[in-house]
Amino acid sequence: MSRMIGTVSRGVRAPIIRNGDDIVQIVVDSVLEASKDAGFEFNDRDIVAMTEAIVARAQGNYATVDDIACDVRAKFGGETVGVILPILSRNRFAICLRGIAKGAKKIVLQLSYPSDEVGNHLISLDKLDEKGVNPYTDVLSLEKYRELFGYEKHRFTGIDYVEYYEGLIKDCGCECEIIFANDARAILNYTKNVLCCDIHSRARSKRLLKAAGADIVLGLDEIMNAPVNGSGYNENYGLLGSNKATEDQVKLFPRDCQPVVDAIQKKLYEATGKKIEVMVYGDGAFKDPVGKIWELADPVVSPAYTSGLEGTPNELKLKYLADNEFAGLSGDALKEAIKGKIVEKDANLVGNMASEGTTPRQLTDLIGSLCDLTSGSGDKGTPIVFIQGYFDNYTTE
């Protein structure tokens, strides 16, 4: 009988990781111990993935509010800073905002609406329609926003993020003015010194602002991109991908991850004789249909991975073959015809109708999303994920 199980994703428990821990050895030992406990064997092209958080924790890659303030003050001069297009998050941005506010005299905070970049809504599209507001062109003051929409609380957190961010800024002894606009250039009517806090659209925002005559334009990726008073840092992403660690400290996105995944792959090969792919993952890339939140608040899903995870899926759509090319077949004849088609498929199926509907994303984005859902973000205690059968297909026995 043919094998009945395809892809299997397992959350693997690990010790609580501390600064200075040998993350490579901990991951290897945890996976090997899990195999003994669960009774699974290793195969070539199995995947071991670890959340970015445990890599950053082992590295001690942290920065304080005061570190952020020092960097902002040095780069913007301690005067008025336009802080534009941040996401609405207590975990991701609130502490960063405190640091920014402590490093400036005044913050002009420009919030996108009706939602932030990753889908956290201030208000609904229906409310915009009802009030006759055009989010593509209309710039709203805080007073106008309150007049039109009142005090709206986030569906899941119960937070009015406008009020929350305003309070954070003022509590740091910083003046605050809030506007609502989706065009990055709207901030230039208030200040020429701008900190772009958007994630995936940051390059465009910077380009537009510089072309429109801004004086200083930086992104969150350029704050804490070097050590400040001995702090952690990330030379590529700065504050992007950071998370709240304590009330006065953030954990930064990990750095130098490639040597980590390569070393884990090497040690696992020495222990198992199998070439196992390894990656570091952060947020998955998927959208919640109820809350409308696009999960990816990290700058990338995976900051490092071994070479076998490069590329995109190259798959045929089985139901397309069954309903079209092999519509007249059934049973074993259909099964064998489809298997033959898979064996003969081209190395690159781009443009082939038989691949239509397969997921056109990077392997690391797909696998990272699977890992994020498997490990969760709470108290499961499984920051390592072990995946088998991901690269199998209908012909694999």
Side-chain angles (χ1 to χ4, degrees):
M1 184 177 178
S2 297
R3 197 181 83 189
M4 299 300 292
I5 301 297
T7 301
V8 176
S9 179
R10 295 178 173 94
V12 176
R13 290 181 177 174
I16 303 299
I17 308 299
R18 297 293 190 187
N19 181 12
D21 285 350
D22 185 342
I23 191 64
V24 170
Q25 197 61 53
I26 288 173
V27 171
V28 170
D29 290 345
S30 297
V31 172
L32 294 176
E33 187 63 30
S35 74
K36 297 175 185 176
D37 180 57
F40 59 80
E41 297 181 353
F42 294 95
N43 304 298
D44 288 326
R45 302 205 81 187
D46 288 347
I47 303 168
V48 169
M50 74 225 74
T51 176
E52 56 82 22
I54 63 172
V55 181
R57 286 172 64 86
Q59 293 174 341
N61 205 22
Y62 294 86
T64 66
V65 166
D66 288 338
D67 294 332
I68 297 169
C70 184
D71 205 21
V72 168
R73 193 177 302 111
K75 290 171 177 173
F76 284 97
E79 295 299 318
T80 299
V81 179
V83 174
I84 71 166
L85 310 178
I87 63 172
L88 307 173
S89 173
R90 295 167 297 174
N91 175 46
R92 291 286 192 170
F93 186 69
I95 294 183
C96 296
L97 181 58
R98 285 181 57 212
I100 296 164
K102 289 186 72 172
K105 179 180 179 180
K106 178 179 179 179
I107 294 294
V108 181
L109 180 64
Q110 179 180 328
L111 298 175
S112 56
Y113 74 100
S115 71
D116 70 10
E117 180 185 7
V118 297
N120 291 294
H121 275 69
L122 287 172
I123 47 178
S124 69
L125 285 168
D126 292 334
K127 282 284 185 70
L128 290 185
D129 295 341
E130 177 187 326
K131 300 296 183 179
V133 174
N134 184 341
Y136 298 103
T137 59
D138 294 350
V139 178
L140 307 178
S141 65
L142 177 59
E143 292 72 25
K144 187 62 177 178
Y145 173 86
R146 291 300 189 197
E147 176 190 328
L148 291 169
F149 305 113
Y151 288 77
E152 291 277 347
K153 293 187 176 182
H154 190 279
R155 176 173 187 157
F156 292 135
T157 66
I159 299 290
D160 180 326
Y161 278 96
V162 178
E163 184 177 57
Y164 178 54
Y165 280 0
E166 181 182 32
L168 285 179
I169 293 168
K170 290 181 175 179
D171 286 347
C172 291
C174 182
E175 297 176 45
C176 178
E177 183 174 0
I178 299 178
I179 64 170
F180 301 81
N182 292 310
D183 187 331
R185 293 165 293 192
I187 196 68
L188 296 179
N189 290 320
Y190 302 83
T191 178
K192 302 294 185 182
N193 298 332
V194 187
L195 179 60
C196 300
C197 298
D198 44 343
I199 305 165
H200 307 290
S201 57
R202 64 188 185 276
R204 178 174 184 265
S205 294
K206 292 177 190 178
R207 173 174 57 79
L208 291 174
L209 287 164
K210 290 174 182 177
D215 292 334
I216 301 174
V217 179
L218 298 174
L220 281 182
D221 55 327
E222 296 166 285
I223 304 297
M224 300 310 303
N225 58 347
V228 174
N229 300 321
S231 72
Y233 66 98
N234 190 299
E235 66 274 26
N236 295 316
Y237 299 119
L239 283 175
L240 292 179
S242 62
N243 280 275
K244 178 180 180 179
T246 70
E247 293 303 320
D248 295 296
Q249 189 179 55
V250 294
K251 177 197 64 60
L252 301 170
F253 211 50
R255 60 181 189 270
D256 302 325
C257 293
Q258 195 61 46
V260 173
V261 297
D262 290 339
I264 291 171
Q265 184 180 60
K266 183 174 183 291
K267 281 182 174 287
L268 285 173
Y269 182 80
E270 292 168 351
T272 68
K274 304 296 181 181
K275 187 174 182 182
I276 296 169
E277 304 299 338
V278 184
M279 66 180 282
V280 177
Y281 69 93
D283 273 349
F286 46 84
K287 188 171 183 177
D288 167 28
V290 177
K292 313 300 183 187
I293 299 169
W294 180 40
E295 179 69 9
L296 187 55
D298 286 324
V300 290
V301 172
S302 177
Y305 48 87
T306 51
S307 60
L309 299 179
E310 188 70 50
T312 58
N314 192 56
E315 301 172 345
L316 295 171
K317 197 75 168 179
L318 297 192
K319 63 184 181 182
Y320 178 88
L321 294 175
D323 290 344
N324 290 273
E325 188 169 344
F326 304 126
L329 300 179
S330 62
D332 288 342
L334 175 59
K335 179 178 179 180
E336 293 306 314
I338 287 179
K339 282 187 173 182
K341 196 73 173 179
I342 293 172
V343 170
E344 297 167 1
K345 70 182 177 182
D346 294 335
N348 186 347
L349 292 170
V350 173
N352 188 319
M353 187 61 72
S355 69
E356 184 180 22
T358 57
T359 309
R361 287 198 276 162
Q362 296 294 322
L363 287 168
T364 49
D365 293 342
L366 292 164
I367 297 166
S369 298
L370 173 61
C371 291
D372 192 23
L373 290 167
T374 300
S375 62
S377 58
D379 58 7
K380 286 185 172 63
T382 55
I384 302 165
V385 177
F386 182 66
I387 301 170
Q388 293 189 294
Y390 190 84
F391 295 103
D392 291 354
N393 59 43
Y394 194 53
T395 69
T396 306
E397 299 295 341

